[in-house]
Each structure stands twice: as C-alpha cells, then as structure tokens.
C-alpha cells in the first residue's frame, strides 16, 4: 500500500521504494472503493471499549513480526477475563496486513498482549521497551493507555494509542482514534455554514453526552451560534425533555442529538410524537449514527451526521476478509494505519523518525479512514464527511477534506 504525504502524495512514493527525506512528511494512502455507510455497532473510535476490572501483572502472549533492525511495539488486548479477544485478534491481523502491504523487511513488530487491563498494558509496554522498541502502538483501553504512557514517557518513547478517551492523551502520547470532539465540531461548523443560527441540544446523561455537550458549547461559541436550550435526559427516557423542546420550538432552527444508534429508536418516537423532525428543524448527530439502525427512523429522514468516509475502510475490509476469512472489527484500521505509518517513518526520517516534530507535522497523514494529524497535546484532528439520511440509507453531502488546507464543506 502506498505511503504518501497528504500535501504531495501523487507520485511521491511507490510501494517498496524509499522516499526522499524531503518527501517524508509521510501519510498513508488507502485504495478507495464505493462510499456507503457501514452498518453494525462500531462507528470508528466512537466510544472506548469496556475495560475489564481484572488485574494482571504481565502480558500473556507475545510474538514478533519481521526481523528488521527498527523495533516497533504493538500492544493489543489479545486476551481478556473470558478468554481470547476478537477485537485484539482483529487489530493484530490488521497489523500483519499492513506489514505485508508495506513490503517491509527493515522492521520488527514486537506484539504484546495487555490482557485488557491497565497493569497488563504497563507490563507489556515495559517488556517491549526492554526489547528495544522505539515507538509504542496501542493500547486500546483508556485506563491502559494512561498506564502504558507513563511507562513509555519514562523511557522517552512516543506512543500512538487507539483509545477515544481524550484524557489519556498527552505530550508524546498520541491518540489515533475518532474522538467525539471532532464529530461535534464538524457538525456545528457545517450547520453554521448552511445558515443555522440557533441550535438546541438533546443530550443523554452519560459520559459520551457530557463530552459532546462540552464540545458543542465550545463550537457554538466559535462559530457564533446561539444555544437557546440544552435538554439532558436519562438514556432510554427522552420523553419529558423532548416535550420541553417542543414547547420552545420557535427558538431554534437546528437540533443536535449526540445519542448512540441503539437508543435512537426511542428518541425518534418521542420526536415524532411531539412534532419535531428534520422536515421542520434540521436535526444532526455524530458518527454514532453511522449504523443501519438509525437510517430508517422517521424523525431522522433528512437529518445529518458526521463520519469518516467509508471507501477506504470498505477496501481494507474486503482485503482483510480475503486474507483472514472474516470481517475486521471496525477499529482494525487504527492498527493498520499506525503500523503503516511507523514503517514509513522508519524508512524516511532517520534518527528523527518518531520525534515530536515528525509525528505532529501539520500536513498530517492519509490513512484508511482518511486524512488525520496529531496535535502536540496528543489529540488528533480527522477529516470527516457530512452525510444526510434518507430512504434507509445515507449519502455524502459534504466530502471529507483530503488535506488540511481546506474545510471540506
């Protein structure tokens, strides 16, 4: 698979050929297929997987991929309290696919099982560093990332982790995921660009809703949007909050709902009962709606949501299934992109390959889920599209940006 700069990817690099140092502000180019929203419970990086409360002090399994001089750690949850982890296996398979696609013979990937626990993540990271790892990829769970990053930071090794828990990010500990903040800001920005002046919010009382609400308020202030009302509700019981919104319907021209797919049927029912739908007020949500369960809901016909374009993932998933005989977990592209990036940088940046200046280059990188870049604080920015729901499907109405020089609107 080609590895290119997001600013100058055309013709800059072909698989198996070394890039010049000047061309090495590297990204990941994915083969594209037809765009269509994924169905199923996983929108990429939408929320952290549940972390086991079990404790372990050492990784259960380890293996190596390749025999090259540059060593890369991959920390994944191969096991959990109930046995082998399908998510961990999918991440590992994606890493192997990235290694094969790169034509690499100059790196060694040190695979370590974190046993789905914080202590296991710390032990796995320490073991990999002891074996010479220069960069740590993973873990997945937020609590594990915090423990593993403590170990990596003490050894002055950067980490590219897969958690959506923004509190786990920090200088030198980067999150390659899809944080809620990016979904929300893209949605509010798009609404503003399309004439929406006053946006209400209907927000579940859970951690995801709280994070989304905080970003919504910040983005509304940034884009000059009035917020007349924010209604919170207990998950599964939106009725009273929707009735209060209906009572002040003339005060807003858009409604933001950061709710997960499995809860949207109950929300849609209440919206319809109270005369609120996207024919009367523009409803929009986040990547949680990139799910077949939301696409036929009556209140959401004409609604918007933000999500990565799925062409790159669809192409990846086809190749993954052809090789492994099963569908990948939706988060598998995170391991694929992280390994591809680490290999590309190992070939192009010399001793600075995993330095902060290289990893946080503002031009960013192109991966299976589109363009992304790391911030110095450890967070990331993603190129996201805006989709409109209609007739049981969703179509892109604002493509994701291909680089960070435009807004993608």
């Amino acid at each position: 698979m080609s590895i290119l700069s997001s600013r100058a990817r055309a013709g800059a690099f072909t698989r198996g050929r070394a890039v010049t140092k000047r061309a090495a502000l590297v990204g990941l180019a994915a083969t594209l297929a037809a765009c269509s929203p994924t169905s199923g419970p996983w929108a990429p990086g939408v929320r952290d997987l549940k972390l086991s409360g079990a404790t372990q002090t050492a990784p259960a399994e380890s293996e190596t991929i390749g025999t090259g001089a540059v060593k890369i750690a991959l920390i994944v949850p191969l096991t959990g309290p109930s046995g082998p982890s399908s998510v961990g296996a999918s991440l590992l398979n994606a890493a192997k696919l990235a290694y094969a696609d790169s034509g690499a013979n100059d790196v060694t990937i040190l695979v370590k099982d974190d046993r789905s626990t914080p202590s296991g993540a710390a032990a796995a990271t320490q073991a990999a560093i002891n074996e010479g790892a220069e960069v740590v990829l993973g873990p997945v769970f937020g609590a594990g990332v915090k423990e593993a990053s403590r170990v990596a930071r003490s050894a002055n090794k950067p980490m590219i982790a897969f958690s959506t828990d923004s509190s786990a990010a920090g200088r030198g500990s980067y999150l390659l995921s899809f944080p809620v903040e990016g979904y929300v800001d893209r949605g509010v920005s798009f609404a503003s660009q399309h004439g929406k002046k006053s946006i209400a919010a209907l927000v579940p009382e859970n951690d995801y809703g709280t994070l989304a609400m905080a970003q919504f308020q910040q983005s509304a202030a940034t884009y000059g949007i009035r917020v007349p009302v924010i209604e919170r509700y207990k998950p599964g019981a939106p009725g009273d909050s929707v009735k209060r919104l209906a009572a002040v319907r003339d005060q807003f021209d858009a409604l933001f709902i950061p709710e997960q797919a499995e809860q949207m049927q109950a929300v849609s029912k209440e919206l319809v009962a109270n005369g609120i739908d996207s024919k009367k007020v523009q409803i929009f949500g986040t990547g949680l709606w990139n799910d077949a369960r939301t696409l036929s809901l009556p209140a959401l016909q004409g609604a918007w949501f933000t999500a990565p374009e799925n062409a790159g993932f669809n192409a990846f998933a086809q190749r993954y299934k052809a090789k492994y005989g099963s569908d990948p977990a939706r988060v598998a592209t995170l391991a694929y992109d992280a390994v591809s990036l680490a290999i590309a940088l190992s070939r192009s940046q010399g001793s600075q390959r995993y330095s902060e200046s290289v990893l946080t280059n503002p031009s960013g990188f192109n991966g299976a889920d589109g363009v992304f870049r790391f911030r110095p604080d450890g967070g990331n920015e993603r190129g996201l599209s805006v989709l409109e729901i209609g007739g049981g499907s969703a179509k892109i109405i604002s493509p994701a940006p291909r680089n960070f020089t435009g807004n993608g609107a």
Side-chain angles (χ1 to χ4, degrees):
M1 194 96 4
S2 305
I3 308 287
L4 315 174
S5 166
S6 65
R7 178 178 294 169
R9 46 185 189 173
F13 183 88
T14 56
R15 185 170 63 194
R17 180 184 301 172
V19 295
T20 65
K21 191 154 186 172
R22 183 175 182 181
L25 302 176
V26 186
L28 313 171
T31 303
L32 299 182
C35 290
S36 63
T38 55
S39 60
W42 269 104
V46 159
R47 57 190 184 273
D48 237 353
L49 297 169
K50 295 297 183 182
L51 180 64
S52 163
T55 59
Q56 298 287 348
T57 58
E61 298 180 16
S62 64
E63 66 174 277
T64 60
I65 304 168
T67 58
V70 176
K71 295 183 178 180
I72 299 165
L74 178 67
I75 313 299
V76 287
L78 297 177
T79 58
S82 301
S85 164
S86 61
V87 170
S90 195
L91 290 165
L92 175 56
N93 286 342
K96 291 177 177 178
L97 188 59
Y99 178 85
D101 285 347
S102 73
N105 57 14
D106 45 4
V107 304
T108 298
I109 302 173
L110 306 171
V111 181
K112 304 293 181 183
D113 179 17
D114 67 14
R115 294 191 177 186
S116 304
T117 69
S119 60
T125 301
Q126 187 64 65
I129 290 173
N130 290 347
E131 293 173 29
E134 298 182 28
V135 62
V136 178
L137 311 181
V140 176
F141 306 117
V145 172
K146 292 175 183 178
E147 288 300 302
S149 64
R150 177 181 55 79
V151 174
R153 193 173 294 115
S154 67
N156 199 30
K157 305 298 182 184
M159 170 178 287
I160 299 174
F162 309 142
S163 173
T164 60
D165 182 356
S166 58
S167 69
R171 200 172 192 100
S173 298
Y174 307 99
L175 299 184
L176 180 60
S177 56
F178 285 82
V180 60
E181 291 87 350
Y183 287 119
V184 176
D185 189 71
R186 177 73 161 109
V188 175
S189 172
F190 184 79
S192 174
Q193 292 163 7
H194 288 75
K196 305 307 175 186
K197 305 294 185 184
S198 181
I199 305 177
L202 178 63
V203 183
E205 292 179 355
N206 55 29
D207 291 344
Y208 186 89
T210 298
L211 286 172
M213 183 180 70
Q215 182 61 52
F216 169 70
Q217 292 172 305
Q218 180 178 325
S219 296
T222 298
Y223 302 115
I225 296 291
R226 178 174 171 266
V227 180
V229 59
I230 295 176
E231 282 288 345
R232 303 293 304 265
Y233 64 93
K234 294 188 182 302
D240 290 342
S241 293
V242 174
K243 289 176 182 177
R244 288 191 290 269
L245 282 173
V248 293
R249 166 63 193 85
D250 59 344
Q251 295 184 23
F252 55 91
D253 54 17
L255 175 61
F256 172 56
I257 309 176
E259 180 61 281
Q260 55 190 316
E262 55 262 41
Q263 297 291 337
M264 279 306 299
Q265 183 172 1
V267 174
S268 176
K269 180 180 178 180
E270 293 297 337
L271 291 172
V272 170
N274 287 277
I276 300 175
D277 60 41
S278 266
K279 296 177 182 178
K280 302 171 183 176
V281 58
Q282 184 60 60
I283 298 172
F284 69 98
T286 72
L288 291 171
W289 292 2
N290 198 12
D291 188 297
R293 289 171 290 183
T294 66
L295 302 183
S296 60
L297 294 176
L300 298 189
Q301 302 309 296
W304 300 335
F305 66 89
T306 51
E309 293 181 13
N310 289 304
F313 175 78
N314 291 343
F316 163 81
Q318 289 173 359
R319 292 168 45 254
Y320 181 104
K321 188 170 185 177
K323 186 172 182 65
Y324 298 111
S326 61
D327 293 322
R330 186 58 184 86
V331 293
T333 48
L334 302 182
Y336 183 91
D337 285 353
V339 169
S340 298
L341 176 60
I343 291 172
L345 294 178
S346 76
R347 295 171 169 175
S348 63
Q349 294 294 297
S351 63
Q352 296 300 304
R353 49 186 165 256
Y354 305 127
S355 66
E356 180 179 12
S357 62
V358 170
L359 291 174
T360 62
N361 185 273
S363 293
F365 314 101
N366 274 309
D369 288 306
V371 66
F372 66 93
R373 63 182 171 189
F374 298 118
R375 300 196 308 259
D377 66 2
N380 75 56
E381 297 175 41
R382 286 277 190 176
L384 299 171
S385 57
V386 180
L387 296 91
E388 183 175 85
I389 296 172
S393 63
K395 65 178 181 180
I396 294 172
I397 57 174
S398 178
R402 303 306 179 198
N403 54 54
F404 286 103
T405 61
N407 60 20

